Amino acid sequence: MEISPLQKERLKYQPKLPGMLRNGISDICVREGEATQSVADQEKIRSLFPNTYGKKEITFQKGANTSASKKQVVGVILSGGQAPGGHNVISGLYDALKATNRENVLLGFKGGPSGLVDDDCVEFDDAFIDAYRNTGGFDIIGSGRTKIETPEQFKAATETAKKHGLTAVVIIGGDDSNTNAAVLAEYFAANHVGVQVIGCPKTIDGDLKNDDIECSFGFDTATKTYSELIGNIERDANSAKKYWHFVKVMGRSASHVALECALETQPNVCLIGEEVAEKKMSLSQIADQIADSVEARSKTEGNFGVVIIPEGIVEFVPEFGTLIREISEMLAGSKTEEFNALQDWAAKKEFIRKGLTAESYKVFDILPEAIQKQLFLERDPHGNVQVSLIESEKLFAELVKNKLDERKKAGTYKGSFKTQFHFFGYEGRCAFPSNFDADYCYSLGYNAFMLIQYGFNGYLSKVSNLSRPADEWVAGGMPITKMMNIERRNGEDKPVIRKALVELDGKPFKYFEAHRAEWAVKTCYTYPGAIQYYGPSDVCDLTTRTLALEKG
């Protein structure tokens, strides 16, 4: 297979490990911490996970290895959406396995958790692993979103484990995937299957984060990739001086990606969903905020600018959330067929007017017609509106245009408003991992094996002190149940890992808040450029601005 010059160089890169993992497997011991409890709903979570709840946090340190020596047959699964660095988690896990005993085996289950259920796997060897070191993507074994939750699935997974003599399974994924890892760990423990389950924290959205998990892997690379593109757009905007660019970025449930990209590039406007919800901002108020920047800049800098919008912004707007809920209720049961049978949009709109409250219809009526139709054309398997498919960048541009037209009539605005639209999502999910993600992911995989070696089950591989150089990183583990609470999902109470939202009193948002008024009016763009792999460490080994501000 032909590979690019960059890939040839990246294959030679040796990821850096935390200091305590550099001494060799034989010189690593465990320091136990305090017993843990879930972040909320302690009694309910305890009752659901009686065999894995309340375990102690642990840290690895230099010392004599006291783990039992045995041959390990470990399975690894990539679960959920892709994130840069997944291949390095597998590489680190493989290297630690083989450093302990060359007879140890690593099996890759294909296509996500379904590979374990369907017994679809491949055994890794040196040549197989070496072709994927420091590369992006999940193509080494593929990924999937299957949840192991039915009795039949649990039975099939157990049979697969026994067939191959598995001693452990490592699940690399986000909050839902690691919730599933905890459920599988509990099942294996309750049924004396003899298989440990370890999770690794992955998501480019950045919302798998808490006091213990400082950063999910992939976030650094994805935001650097998006920031490079946004910086290029800013340079173009400043060159042509005739367009307002509306850029939507990944992040449906939280605005971490938008905030990090804003800290990297200093756009004129960046919407933060958590702030919108906190202040109960309406669509009209958000449009006014953007229009204020457009009007002010037209008088000084010119008719150009850049706006960053998180993917899930409309879900944070209270009035829009109410509208979505009313639409779902309105089309429940046979009413969907009744609505679809109407011949033209005018008839459908009248049906909608009668089905919504006056307040919600008022919100609906100000939406561009294309957005109105999107609310009714795309439904998920449960009949709900797929909010992530709404072109919110076009929605806000249209609302801003209407505001500016009103200001022109009032004589306060005399500029022009031409727009360009962008959505950066898949562009960042499989990029070559940054040095930070390459190091972090390799460490997570290597550390996952240490958790296996010492017999832990239902734990998350944890590497912390990430704002410092890698030799100062701290490796260890925490029970996955510590991150859990109970949430309502599809009409049922479910144990899930709590998503982390942008903290409005946190240092990253406070920094953004302190500077955005200047960015809104002046041209303060910064151009981070392409991800740097080689050169001075203060360029190549930088972590995210978010983490630097939080830990600085």
Side-chain angles (χ1 to χ4, degrees), residues 332-351:
S334 62
K335 290 187 178 180
T336 298
E337 288 75 21
E338 182 183 345
F339 175 80
N340 290 336
L342 297 172
Q343 295 301 306
D344 55 41
W345 180 243
K348 289 181 177 180
K349 196 168 181 181
E350 179 60 18
F351 179 98

Side-chain angles (χ1 to χ4, degrees), residues 96-397:
L97 269 165
K98 294 299 184 179
T100 304
N101 182 350
R102 288 300 301 179
E103 298 302 312
N104 285 342
V105 175
L106 182 62
L107 302 177
F109 286 94
K110 297 180 181 180
S114 63
L116 182 63
V117 174
D118 300 334
D119 187 19
D120 185 8
C121 65
V122 61
E123 181 176 341
F124 293 120
D125 58 21
D126 291 355
F128 199 137
I129 291 291
D130 288 348
Y132 288 92
R133 294 181 186 274
N134 309 310
T135 59
F138 279 7
D139 48 314
I140 187 170
I141 49 174
S143 185
R145 297 183 183 275
T146 300
K147 288 186 179 180
I148 302 175
E149 54 188 356
T150 67
E152 295 77 15
Q153 288 173 316
F154 284 124
K155 182 181 177 183
T158 300
E159 290 173 352
T160 299
K162 289 180 177 179
K163 173 184 174 182
H164 295 285
L166 290 183
T167 55
V169 175
V170 175
I171 297 178
I172 302 167
D175 54 340
D176 283 341
S177 300
N178 277 290
T179 295
N180 203 214
V183 171
L184 188 62
E186 179 64 29
Y187 177 86
F188 282 160
N191 290 276
H192 309 290
V193 178
V195 178
Q196 301 159 242
V197 180
I198 302 297
C200 288
K202 174 265 330 175
T203 175
I204 67 169
D205 288 350
D207 54 11
L208 179 50
K209 177 179 176 178
N210 47 52
D211 291 340
D212 296 283
I213 306 302
E214 296 177 356
C215 184
S216 56
F217 83 73
F219 178 76
D220 181 67
T221 303
T223 53
K224 280 179 171 144
T225 301
Y226 301 145
S227 295
E228 176 195 352
L229 297 171
I230 293 168
N232 294 347
I233 286 170
E234 288 178 335
R235 183 79 79 177
D236 188 271
N238 200 16
S239 300
K241 296 187 177 357
K242 62 180 180 179
Y243 292 115
W244 272 84
H245 294 262
F246 284 70
V247 182
K248 184 169 69 173
V249 295
M250 293 289 270
R252 175 170 180 177
S253 301
S255 305
H256 297 288
V257 172
L259 178 58
E260 174 65 22
C261 290
L263 294 172
E264 288 280 6
T265 62
Q266 302 182 179
N268 304 108
V269 180
C270 177
L271 303 179
I272 302 297
E274 291 83 344
E275 181 183 30
V276 168
E278 175 76 16
K279 294 182 176 179
K280 295 181 170 57
M281 295 176 70
S282 66
L283 293 173
S284 180
Q285 287 173 317
I286 297 170
D288 270 323
Q289 177 188 335
I290 301 171
D292 287 345
S293 178
V294 175
E295 180 180 334
R297 288 179 58 77
S298 72
K299 297 172 182 175
T300 55
E301 304 288 296
N303 298 301
F304 69 97
V306 175
V307 181
I308 297 177
I309 299 171
E311 178 186 16
I313 185 65
V314 293
E315 291 193 84
F316 288 93
V317 180
E319 60 181 358
F320 204 94
T322 301
L323 170 63
I324 295 298
R325 287 191 294 274
E326 288 191 20
I327 289 174
S328 295
E329 287 292 325
M330 182 176 66
L331 295 183
S334 62
K335 290 187 178 180
T336 298
E337 288 75 21
E338 182 183 345
F339 175 80
N340 290 336
L342 297 172
Q343 295 301 306
D344 55 41
W345 180 243
K348 289 181 177 180
K349 196 168 181 181
E350 179 60 18
F351 179 98
I352 295 164
R353 185 187 66 78
K354 291 177 179 178
L356 297 177
T357 61
E359 293 79 9
S360 287
Y361 187 76
K362 185 178 179 181
V363 175
F364 178 80
D365 203 34
I366 68 171
L367 301 177
E369 186 174 301
I371 302 296
Q372 291 177 343
K373 291 180 177 178
Q374 284 178 20
L375 292 173
F376 290 87
L377 291 176
E378 301 287 351
R379 321 291 288 174
D380 70 13
H382 305 287
N384 299 316
V385 176
Q386 293 201 60
V387 178
S388 62
L389 297 179
I390 294 172
E391 296 175 305
S392 50
E393 67 277 29
K394 295 182 180 179
L395 164 62
F396 284 110

Side-chain angles (χ1 to χ4, degrees), residues 400-419:
V400 170
K401 179 182 178 298
N402 295 340
K403 293 285 185 182
L404 295 173
D405 288 344
E406 293 172 5
R407 297 182 187 198
K408 273 194 174 181
K409 291 177 183 176
T412 61
Y413 171 66
K414 298 178 181 179
S416 66
F417 182 64
K418 297 178 181 178
T419 54

Side-chain angles (χ1 to χ4, degrees), residues 493-509:
D493 286 341
K494 293 282 189 180
V496 297
I497 292 173
R498 178 186 285 177
K499 287 184 181 291
L501 302 180
V502 169
E503 296 179 358
L504 300 183
D505 58 353
K507 290 180 181 178
F509 180 79

